Amino acid sequence: MKLRTFFYGMGIGALVIAAAAMGWTFLAGPGAREGGRAGQKVVISALMHVDITGAWHELVARFNEENPDVEMHYIEGPWSTDTREALYTTSFLAGESPYDMVFMDVIWVPKFAAAGWLEDLTDWLPPEQWKEFLPGDLEGSKHQGRIYRVPMYSDVGMLFYRRDLLEAAGLEPPTTWQDLIVMAQKLQKPPQLWGYVWQGKQYEGLSCNLLEVLQGFGGSWVDPVTQEVGLDQPEAAAALQLMHDLIHKHKISPPGVTTYQEEEARQIFQSGNAVFQRNWPYAWVLAHQEQSPVKGKVGMAPMVSQKGQDGSGAQGGSGFGIYKYSKHKRAAWRFIVFATSSRAQKFLHLQEGRIPTRHALFRDPDLLEKSPHLSTVYQAFQNTALRPPLPNYAQLSDIVQRHASAALTGKVPVREALRRASAETGYVVARAAEAKPGQ
Amino acid sequence: MQDLGSGMLRKGCFILATAGLLLFSVGPFGWEVLTSIKPSSEIAQSPVVYVPSRVTFEHYVALFARRDFGGYLVNSAVVSSLATLLCMIAGMLAAYALAKLNIPGSPLFLVIVLAVALVPPIILLIPLYEMMRWADWINHRGALVLPYAALNLPFATLVLRAFFRQIPQDLLEAARIDGFTRVGILFKIIVPLSAPALATTAILVFVFCWNEFIFALTFITTDAYKTIPVGIAGLSGVTSPYEIPWGLISAAAVTGTLPLIVLVLIFQRRIVQGLTAGALKG
Amino acid sequence: MGKLPDHGFGLLLLLPALVLVSLMVLYPLARNVHLSFYEKDLHSGLESRFAGWYNYQRLGHDSRFFTSFFNTVFFTGVSVSIELLLGLGFALVLNASFPARGAIRAMALIPWALPTAVMAMAWTWIYNDVYGVLNDVLLRLGIIDEGVAWLGTPSAARWAVIFADVWKTTPFVSIILLAGLQSIPADLCEAIRIDGAKAVQGFRLVTLPLLLPSMVVALLFRTVHAFGIFDLIYVLTGGGPGGATETVSVYVYYNLFRYLDFGYAAALVVATFLVLLLVAILTYLPMLKREVELG
C-alpha cells in the first residue's frame, strides 16, 4: 500500500514538472531588451505610433541598409499619445530603458528633460543647422534654453471653413472673432448645420483652444521666464468669456462641444454639419479624401483673433530626443539625423501628409504641388502659441482644463473659474520655484 | 430552480423581463456589430444610418490582414487559460482550507485576502514592471499570468469559500468516516457539488484576464505576444494616424468577444442542476 | 502527509495562494506605503527624499482629493445599488426554465465580456449630441426635442457614466447571484411549493437568506471594483466636465503619470486604501460572524 502511494506520488510529481516545463516554454517570449547587440550590429529602438502606411518601415529599412553596423527597431505603440507617454515614463522609472530614442510630443520635453531622462543635444548641431527648423518647433524642443529634441513633425491649430458657403454669401474668410461670429450666425442652420465646432472637452485639446483664444486677445498663461500668471488678467477673462458665449450667447457652437475632441469636431465638419471648425491640418487631408462629403469645398486659414491682435494657432508636433542613459547615443543620433533630414521628411509628407519641420521644405515645388495648403500652414507658423514650457506643465494644463470646462458648462461663472485657476496655478508655480533654485 | 408557475400575468411579466434583459444586454453590443459591417463613410453620419447601404466585411478582413489579430487571439487564450487555471487551483485550495479546515487565525487570513482585493491595480504597475524587468520577463507571457492570477485570487477564494461553507458538515464527516482523504473530499465531493460556483468563478476570472489592459500594455511591447485589448489599442485609421477607425475597432471588439460568448455557452451546459439534489439523498 | 492535523494541512493548502499574493500584491503595496513617506517628484529630481508626514499633510488640504473621493463614493454607492437590484432581477429570470435559456444566459454576459476601453469609446460615440444613437432614438420616439449632450454637463455626465458602468457590470452581479440561486437545493424549492406558500413569500423567507453569502461577495467585489474604476472614466470624460466625474483612481493616475509626483500618489493610495479597509472590515466581518452563527 505504501509503495503504491509512493509511486503514485512520484508519477504525479513527474507529470506536474513536465507540464510546468512545457508551459514555461509555451509562455516564453523573446526576452526583454530591445537594445543591445545583435551579432556585430548595434541595435537601437524607439517607441512610436502605429505605422499604417508602411512609410516608416520603408524609412527604417533604408536607414538599416545605409548603416550596416546599426539596426533600428521601430516599436509600434498605441495610437494615443498619452498612453505612449505613460509607457515611456514607466520604462524610464525602472531604469535602463530599452528605448534609445524618445519620440516626444512637444509638451513632454520640459518634463522629461527636468526628470533627467534626456540628453542635451544643443551642441550636437551648429546653430545655423538648428535654424533650419521652424522657430516654433525649435522653441518647443527646449528646456531652460537647451535643446533636447530634434523636430520631426510639426502641427499648428488652424481654422477651417466651408469655402462654398462663404463664397455663395459673398464673404471673405474671417480674421477676427467678431467676423467669425457674425458669419456663423448668418450661415448656420442648427441643428443640421452648426456655426463653429472646436474642442471643448476637458482634456489637453481644451488647453490648446483656450491658449489660442487667449493669445488672440493679447493675454498670456504663464510667462516661462518671469513665472507670472496671466490668468487673472482682463484678457484671460475676455477670452474665456468669448468661448462661453460661443455656446450660450451667440449660440454658434452646439452645447455638446464640451464633449468634443479632434475627431468629433472633424466628423461633424466633414459630414457637412458645420460652417467653421478649429482643428489640426490632418483634418484637411481627410476632408479631401474620396468619400468626403465636403471634398473641394473646404478652405483653411490661420486662427482668428481679437481686432488688432495677431491670430495664433497652438504649437503641436513631435520629435526625437535621445535617452540620457542609452548605450548607443551616437547610433541613435545617426538615425535621428537621417529621419529628420529633408529627404526623409519630404518622403513622409508625400506618403502620409505629415507636416515637415524644415523651412526649406515649405518652398519645395514637389510638396507645394501635391499640397498647396502647405503655404497657408506655413503662414500660421509665423505666429504660434507655445504652451508654457515648464516641467510641471501637465499640472498647469489640468488646472486650466478643469476650471475652463466648469465655466463652459455653466457650472461656475467665468470670473470665478479664472480666479480659482489663477490661484491654483500660482501655487503650483511658486512651489516649483522654491523647491529647486536654479535646477 | 424556481418554477414561476402558470398564470397569464406571471408569464407576461416574465416575457417582459426577459425582453428587457435582452435589450439591455445586447443593445449597445448590437450597435457595435452593426457598425462593424457598415462602410466607413456611413459610420459617423448624422442622421444615424441604421440600415447600411451595403453590408461589408472589409473591416474584418483588414483586421486579420493588416494586423496579426489571429496572433492576438492566441496570446489572449494562452494567458487567460493559464492564469485562470492557476487562480482556480490556488483559490480552491485556499477556499477549502478557510471554509472547512480549522485554521488558527483564519480571520487574519481573511483580512489579508480582503486587503489584497482593495489594492488598486494601478499602483502595482511600476513595481511589478521593475520586477519583470529584473526577471527578464518583459515580452514573456508569464509576466501576465502571475499578476492576473494574484489579482483574482481574493475574488476566487472568497466566492468559493462562501459556496463551500454551504455544504453540510455531516456530509463531509460521513466521507471522512468512509475513508476519504481530505484532498479526496475536496475533489470528489466538494467540487462536484459546487460546480455552478466553480464554473461561474472561472468564467469571470477568464473574462477579466481576457480584457485586462494596463498590465498587458506595459509588459508586452512586441506585436507577436500582444493580447487582444493591446492589439485594439494599436489599431489606427486607414488613412491617417489621428483618425479613429470605428469600423475596425468595432470588428475587433466583436471578434474579440465571440470566443468568450462561445465559452459561456459551453460552460453553462455543464452546470447540471440535478447534481445538488442527487448528492443530498441518503 | 495524510498524518498532518487539519489546521496544519489547511495552512499548507493556503500556501500557494499566500505566496502568489505576497509576491505580486503585498510586496508592491508595502513599497508603496514606504514611498508615501518620501518626496519623489520633479522637484526632487525624482530622487527619494525623506519627508515624513508631509504628503499626508498635503492630502489633508487637498480639495481636489476630497472632491474626487466624494465623486467616487457617490458613483460607487449609486452604481452598486442599481446593479444589485438589476442583477437580482436578471438572475431570477435566467434561473427559470425556458427554451433557449443557454443562449440567453450567454447573451446576458455580453456587456461584461466586452473590453472596457473599446466600449468606453463606443459610449462616447453613442452619447454624442449630433450623431449619437441615443439621441437619435430618443428624437425619433419624440421623447426629446433636440440632441442632448449627455457627457456635456456635470450632472448629466455623472449619470451617463453611471449608466455605462451599470450596463457593463450588472452581468457580473447577476451571474454570481445566478450561481447562488442554482445552489439552492431542489427539494427545498419543492418543499416551499408543496407548502403552498406564495412565490414572493418563499422568496423573501427562504431564497433571499440563502442567497445572502453570494450577495455579500458580489456586493463586496463590486464595491471594490467600482471604487477603483479607471478605464471607463478616463476614456469617457477624463474626469470632466469641470472635474465632476474625477474619481480617486483617475486622480492617482494623473499624479503618477502626468505630474510624476510619486510620493504624493503613494500617499493618496494609502489613505484611500485605509479608508476602504476600514469600511470593508466593518461591514464584512459582522457578516462573517453571522455566517459562522448560521453554521
Side-chain angles (χ1 to χ4, degrees), chain A residues 79 82-83 85-86 89-90 93 111-112 114-115 117 191 194 201-202 204 254-261 263-264 267-268 273 391-395 397-398 401-403 405-406 409 411 427-428 431-432 435-436 439, chain C residues 39-46 49 54 58 63-64 121 124-125 127-131 146-147 149-154 158 234-244 246 253-262:
Chain A
W79 48 257
D82 287 336
T83 315
E85 187 189 356
T89 302
T90 314
L93 283 172
K111 185 198 305 187
F112 283 11
W117 294 332
W194 280 98
K201 184 177 175 181
Q202 182 188 306
E204 184 62 26
V257 83
T258 55
T259 64
Y260 297 171
Q261 294 188 282
E263 278 292 281
E264 283 83 357
Q267 297 280 12
I268 294 176
N273 299 112
N392 46 16
Y393 168 70
Q395 254 172 304
S397 180
D398 281 4
Q401 287 171 36
R402 274 178 20 251
H403 294 294
S405 169
T409 54
K411 185 169 138 192
Y427 174 70
V428 170
R431 248 192 94 227
K436 45 163 180 90
Q439 181 175 334
Chain C
E39 197 188 331
K40 180 173 172 166
D41 51 14
L42 285 173
H43 305 156
S44 71
L46 291 190
R49 283 194 217 146
Y54 174 66
R58 241 182 94 186
S63 61
R64 190 171 165 191
M121 274 169 45
T124 57
W125 193 32
Y127 282 143
N128 186 283
D129 62 330
V130 173
Y131 51 75
E146 46 174 31
W150 297 100
L151 296 171
T153 56
R158 283 207 182 99
Y234 185 67
V235 175
L236 268 181
T237 60
E246 186 170 86
Y253 180 86
Y254 286 163
N255 271 287
L256 277 176
F257 290 103
R258 277 176 71 74
Y259 313 158
L260 301 186
D261 199 347
F262 300 103

Side-chain angles (χ1 to χ4, degrees), chain B residues 157-177:
Chain B
T157 309
L158 290 178
V159 168
L160 293 178
R161 177 185 168 279
F163 281 90
F164 288 179
R165 293 206 100 249
Q166 291 182 329
I167 295 170
Q169 195 64 21
D170 5 352
L171 190 67
L172 305 179
E173 293 294 319
R176 247 4 244 293
I177 293 171

